[in-house]
Amino acid sequence: MEDSDPSASASLHEVSDPARRQWLQGGLGAALAAAFAPMAAALAGCATAAGGGPKLGFAPVPPSTADTVAVPEGYVADVLAPWGDPVGIAGAMPAFKPDASNSAAEQALQMGMHHDGIHFYPLGDDGRRGLLAMNHEYVDDGLLHTDGIRDWSADKVRKAQAAHGVSVIEVALRDGRWQVVRPSRYARRFTANTPFAVGGPAAGHPMLRTAADPAGRTVLGTINNCASGITPWGTYLSGEENWADYFKGPATPDAHQRRWGLGPDRWVRWSGHDERFDATKHPNEFNRFGWIVEIDPMDPSSTPVKRTALGRAAHEGATVAVTRDGRAVVYSGEDERFEYLYKFVSRDRIAPAGQGFSAAQANRELLDHGTLYVARFDADGSGRWLPLVQGQGPLTAANGFADQGQVLIDARQASDALGATKMDRPEWVAVDARTREVFCALTNNSARGQPGRPGPDAANPRANNVMGQIIRWTDGDGRDGDFDSTTLRWNHLLLAGDPANARAEARGNVRGDIFACPDGLYVDARGVLWIDTDVGAAAMNQGEMARIGNNQMLACDPATGEVRRFLTGPVGCEITGCTITPDGRTMFVNVQHPGETPGDRSDPAAPTRWSTWPDGPGAGRPRSATVAICRRDGGVIGT
């Protein structure tokens, strides 16, 4: 997570009345409650029709500091597809070596490291077989290599690059347990060296051209893939998040490089053995990351594409909604302090499959044409989506935006110029298609209110915000609006925290089980909002986090605000990603970086100092893994 917005200027909303900043506290809360009453009634109607709807029907689990996954009574959680297991490519299935001695070539055929966003794609109608596509955000070099970062080499760089990206695996329910199908014709890995096509207005742009790719239309690799989304036409969207950490910059970066966080010293040291990550030699390579990529998991021969029309950012992920007239709307947050929340509205309607084309093939250019917007949240509970269109308002050549491609490459600078709201690290976005509510996790921002930094505003109401909040809105007037509307109405679903804390800004207003740092979000078919958390290892179970426990997953009924803790993870992990089978009977969740150290890199001499999950005592090292969760009686998750 970076902080690349050095502006000390006040947010547009800093003059707002603090008493109006929190949901359910009168004033703004009462006005917004009235505005959202029709949607709450609609949700209640849907709930009744569905036979009980989005109520929470499980006994919550308590906070935990144990090195295990805990789920409610009556549920079972099975480990599936940990880092290093083969993905299932026929004739190429190297086993995981617990001492980290797998080669780079072997790692490119295995599950990547640090599982993140995930989605299930059914194969057949019974929900017992399907594909899982998932992200691998980054690596812990202390675990990935036998001797950590000592004697850094080209081989280590290649192995780290092979552990990044995306995996596609086939899974099936056999004898009551989910298993990876090996071999599978669908099994596939996308790494930091996989060729990606470039689509949209920035394809071929001079700022994307390099010596290795003078056309600016093919990029090697995707990195730091965080959250994800699924499209109605069956493809997978993955956001490239903290990619700036991978590039070495000049001692004195220019204004463009500074705005994107490029500097001379980076946490990831690839540039010494892969020259394209040295921005002093190849400055445009830096512009070729930070995009949302689209993958067709059903077609193993397809070429993945970086969709530039969705804008360049430290993308957490991408979530798709559909307008009433059948166009796609893609919401995405930028997970950095004081950065922005975006949505893209496609020009064209979603096309059906037919005439020899799959739905994915029929919509292969849908995300290349449309309008990108950035959000402004006003203090009265209203807001606007501001178009990032070259030639409109300040986005002119005279102000440094020569064409639409440059507006998209410089989306941060364009959003600065439009006066968009600087947010507390927008993470995952989730949409309830029935109520048309949209939710975004603002995970935290300890820099809010610090000297020289923006102070609290209506949408981001707390200084030194270590706890985070979930904001929600409907586009349009709240009743007849649509996802393509340029206006919105918003409130806070909740402010995370612990009411036992002394500091008011850390108490929150959670109705139910306490938590901090909301990150992943997922709305299930019943309207339950599932919340994953990401408290950093350095803060976990200490200070204001002392009573919260390890990271966890919670379920929230948005109609009532009730929150219940559904899962707790092992020591040092992040809980991230959530996807549920169409029958509602299996949930897949990712456990990322169990055993994470306060310094983020493990000691290769003591890899299991903090955790042995999931392999248990005698493990060679902790491993990120997917967990399959079912009710023992075969019922619907959460009921």
Side-chain angles (χ1 to χ4, degrees), residues 98 183 294 403 415 465 552 562 567 636:
E294 184 175 17
D403 51 37
S415 299
N465 177 20
Q552 55 201 265
E562 181 190 2
L567 175 152
V636 173

Side-chain angles (χ1 to χ4, degrees), residues 563-600:
V563 175
R564 293 189 190 180
R565 188 179 299 104
F566 179 78
L567 175 152
T568 58
V571 172
C573 82
E574 170 188 348
I575 300 299
T576 181
C578 174
T579 187
I580 297 178
T581 53
D583 62 7
R585 300 178 190 279
T586 302
M587 171 187 284
F588 297 99
V589 178
N590 279 331
V591 176
Q592 186 185 114
H593 60 63
E596 181 184 51
T597 72
D600 293 326

Side-chain angles (χ1 to χ4, degrees), residues 80 86-89 93 129-130 169-174 179-185 187:
L80 183 75
V87 295
I89 299 171
M93 293 187 283
R129 179 169 162 260
I169 59 174
E170 183 177 346
V171 295
L173 186 61
R174 295 172 174 170
Q179 301 174 29
V180 179
V181 176
R182 302 185 183 96
S184 169
R185 72 182 187 90

Side-chain angles (χ1 to χ4, degrees), residues 20 37 47 80 147 153 176 213 257 292 312 350 362 364 368 376 400 483 498 587 612-613 629:
R20 305 176 71 194
L80 183 75
D147 58 353
S153 67
D213 176 30
Q257 293 170 332
I292 291 169
R312 179 165 163 264
I350 300 169
R364 60 182 174 271
D368 289 340
R376 188 188 77 200
F483 294 116
D498 178 355
M587 171 187 284
T612 62
W613 192 89
I629 302 170

Side-chain angles (χ1 to χ4, degrees), residues 46-140:
C46 291
T48 300
K55 62 183 179 181
L56 312 179
F58 59 90
V61 298
S64 171
T65 59
D67 192 30
T68 190
V69 169
V71 291
E73 184 178 355
Y75 286 79
V76 61
D78 289 326
V79 174
L80 183 75
W83 156 54
D85 276 14
V87 295
I89 299 171
M93 293 187 283
F96 175 70
K97 297 177 181 178
D99 64 354
S101 62
N102 285 108
S103 67
E106 289 172 330
Q107 175 62 78
L109 301 168
Q110 298 169 320
M111 299 296 300
M113 208 174 200
H114 289 7
H115 302 24
D116 209 310
I118 186 171
H119 280 283
F120 179 82
Y121 297 79
L123 295 172
D125 298 328
D126 62 3
R128 299 174 63 86
R129 179 169 162 260
L131 304 182
L132 287 175
M134 73 180 75
N135 295 339
H136 303 291
E137 186 177 5
Y138 68 104
V139 304
D140 179 343

Side-chain angles (χ1 to χ4, degrees), residues 425-635:
R425 295 182 56 198
E427 300 247 17
W428 293 58
V429 178
V431 176
D432 189 326
R434 300 173 310 160
T435 67
R436 310 187 81 76
E437 287 182 302
V438 188
F439 306 86
C440 180
L442 305 175
T443 194
N444 58 49
N445 186 353
S446 59
R448 175 110 17 213
Q450 295 291 319
R453 311 303 289 138
D457 61 37
N460 306 276
R462 295 185 284 184
N464 187 19
N465 177 20
V466 299
M467 293 295 180
Q469 64 263 15
I470 297 176
I471 195 168
R472 66 176 168 184
W473 69 89
T474 58
D475 289 325
D477 66 5
R479 289 181 300 176
D480 301 322
D482 204 350
F483 294 116
D484 64 340
S485 298
T486 57
T487 61
L488 60 90
R489 296 289 301 177
W490 69 271
N491 60 50
H492 288 113
L493 173 65
L494 54 82
L495 305 181
D498 178 355
N501 282 327
R503 190 169 64 95
E505 292 87 351
R507 294 174 189 158
N509 62 359
V510 178
R511 295 180 174 184
D513 294 324
I514 62 172
F515 68 96
C517 303
D519 190 333
L521 298 179
Y522 180 87
V523 176
D524 71 16
R526 299 188 304 117
V528 173
L529 178 67
W530 297 90
I531 305 167
D532 303 326
T533 73
D534 182 19
V535 178
M540 196 177 297
N541 298 310
Q542 300 183 50
E544 293 175 335
M545 307 290 182
R547 290 166 293 276
I548 289 176
N550 295 348
N551 279 311
Q552 55 201 265
M553 168 181 271
L554 307 105
C556 174
D557 181 347
T560 65
E562 181 190 2
V563 175
R564 293 189 190 180
R565 188 179 299 104
F566 179 78
L567 175 152
T568 58
V571 172
C573 82
E574 170 188 348
I575 300 299
T576 181
C578 174
T579 187
I580 297 178
T581 53
D583 62 7
R585 300 178 190 279
T586 302
M587 171 187 284
F588 297 99
V589 178
N590 279 331
V591 176
Q592 186 185 114
H593 60 63
E596 181 184 51
T597 72
D600 293 326
R601 273 203 179 102
S602 297
D603 179 358
T608 59
R609 175 185 176 189
W610 302 95
S611 174
T612 62
W613 192 89
D615 297 328
R621 54 206 60 231
R623 298 198 275 168
S624 298
T626 302
V627 174
I629 302 170
C630 300
R631 275 178 45 164
R632 294 186 185 276
D633 64 3

